[in-house]
Amino acid sequence: SQQGEEDPQALSIQEGENATMNCSYKTSINNLQWYRQNSGRGLVHLILIRSNEREKHSGRLRVTLDTSKKSSSLLITASRAADTASYFCATSTYSGGGADGLTFGKGTHLIIQP
Amino acid sequence: GAVVSQHPSRVICKSGTSVKIECRSLDFQATTMFWYRQFPKQSLMLMATSNEGSKATYEQGVEKDKFLINHASLTLSTLTVTSAHPEDSSFYICSASDTVYEQYFGPGTRLTVT
């Protein structure tokens, strides 16, 4: 079932600016993941954050998780034109993230203006 | 490593015919495979979970007799859309997992039913 809600649904910024996307969910989770999808393509895994973690970094990506508010944010710093894509959060109630089907949010479509 | 392929990438079929989509893990053995469906400009919805050698588990609202899933080996799962209708036109994405920690997505198959 769909439980994630991302906002904004669409975001357009200038190259070099930072982009922040938010995700909210409804049920208890064990981990939350962020994925990128270029138009009409498959998913690229960006980062996984476990329920006992509050913040995680990977390159230009910073993810936060607030389990009390059931929300997460994805920050992309120093955006590039190649970052143009749709970004989805996905939650899993399993302790891992692989053996359980994921529940995806509705996604944020990010456009980076050159 | 951890590459998942899907075949075909695009398929157009006539209403009433059946279509088979293959999902292969190319360089690892997938104990579990998942099938998702994505309608245009929407998020991914989990359809079913399949484990090698056992019957697939379908999500609520997904007709198991219409979407036949076979996971005959640790590297291959197939999804057959039987008696396809225009409303079945969608982007179908599989994912595969070899552990509980990671899930690898295929590039997707775009199905158009005319």
Side-chain angles (χ1 to χ4, degrees):
Chain A
S1 61
Q2 190 75 6
Q3 69 161 341
E5 298 274 344
E6 276 99 331
D7 77 87
Q9 291 189 348
L11 178 62
S12 180
I13 61 173
Q14 294 294 122
E15 194 168 18
E17 294 180 340
N18 296 340
T20 300
M21 290 158 271
N22 302 296
C23 164
S24 62
Y25 55 91
K26 298 176 182 175
T27 63
S28 296
I29 62 170
N30 265 299
N31 66 73
L32 184 145
Q33 303 179 59
W34 284 90
Y35 288 86
R36 184 184 73 223
Q37 184 181 37
N38 290 86
S39 181
R41 303 288 183 94
L43 297 177
V44 174
H45 183 261
L46 297 176
I47 199 164
L48 179 151
I49 186 166
R50 302 190 192 284
S51 60
N52 61 354
E53 298 177 306
R54 292 296 167 258
E55 188 171 311
K56 204 162 184 180
H57 297 255
S58 177
R60 293 184 296 114
L61 306 179
R62 172 176 167 255
V63 169
T64 63
L65 179 64
D66 187 335
T67 53
S68 66
K69 295 181 180 179
K70 291 186 168 57
S71 67
S72 173
S73 69
L74 170 67
L75 168 67
I76 303 174
T77 61
S79 63
R80 304 167 182 169
D83 295 329
T84 294
S86 292
Y87 292 82
F88 296 92
C89 68
T91 56
S92 171
T93 56
Y94 196 80
S95 59
D100 188 29
L102 298 176
T103 301
F104 282 85
K106 294 182 178 178
T108 293
H109 183 52
L110 176 65
I111 297 172
I112 308 299
Q113 308 274 9
Chain B
V3 178
V4 176
S5 70
Q6 281 185 241
H7 178 78
S9 57
R10 291 177 179 270
V11 59
I12 300 173
C13 71
K14 292 188 176 180
S15 187
T17 61
S18 295
V19 174
K20 180 185 284 188
I21 302 169
E22 293 186 348
C23 176
R24 292 182 186 272
S25 55
L26 298 184
D27 50 4
F28 67 100
Q29 293 188 321
T31 52
T32 308
M33 287 186 169
F34 305 89
W35 287 95
Y36 296 84
R37 180 169 54 184
Q38 184 180 32
F39 291 109
K41 298 189 186 301
Q42 295 189 26
S43 189
L44 284 80
M45 296 288 289
L46 179 66
M47 298 176 66
T49 301
S50 73
N51 292 291
E52 185 263 342
S54 60
K55 289 185 177 181
T57 302
Y58 291 82
E59 293 298 300
Q60 191 173 9
V62 178
E63 300 174 58
K64 62 180 181 180
D65 294 331
K66 180 168 186 63
F67 299 99
L68 302 179
I69 292 171
N70 184 280
H71 193 162
S73 76
L74 286 172
T75 60
L76 173 65
S77 176
T78 60
L79 168 68
T80 300
V81 183
T82 62
S83 187
H85 290 283
E87 57 265 31
D88 298 322
S89 297
S90 187
F91 193 53
Y92 291 87
I93 304 176
C94 73
S95 68
S97 175
D98 59 347
T99 69
V100 298
Y101 299 112
E102 196 72 53
Q103 194 169 140
Y104 307 100
F105 284 83
T109 296
R110 185 158 310 279
L111 169 64
T112 303
V113 184
T114 60

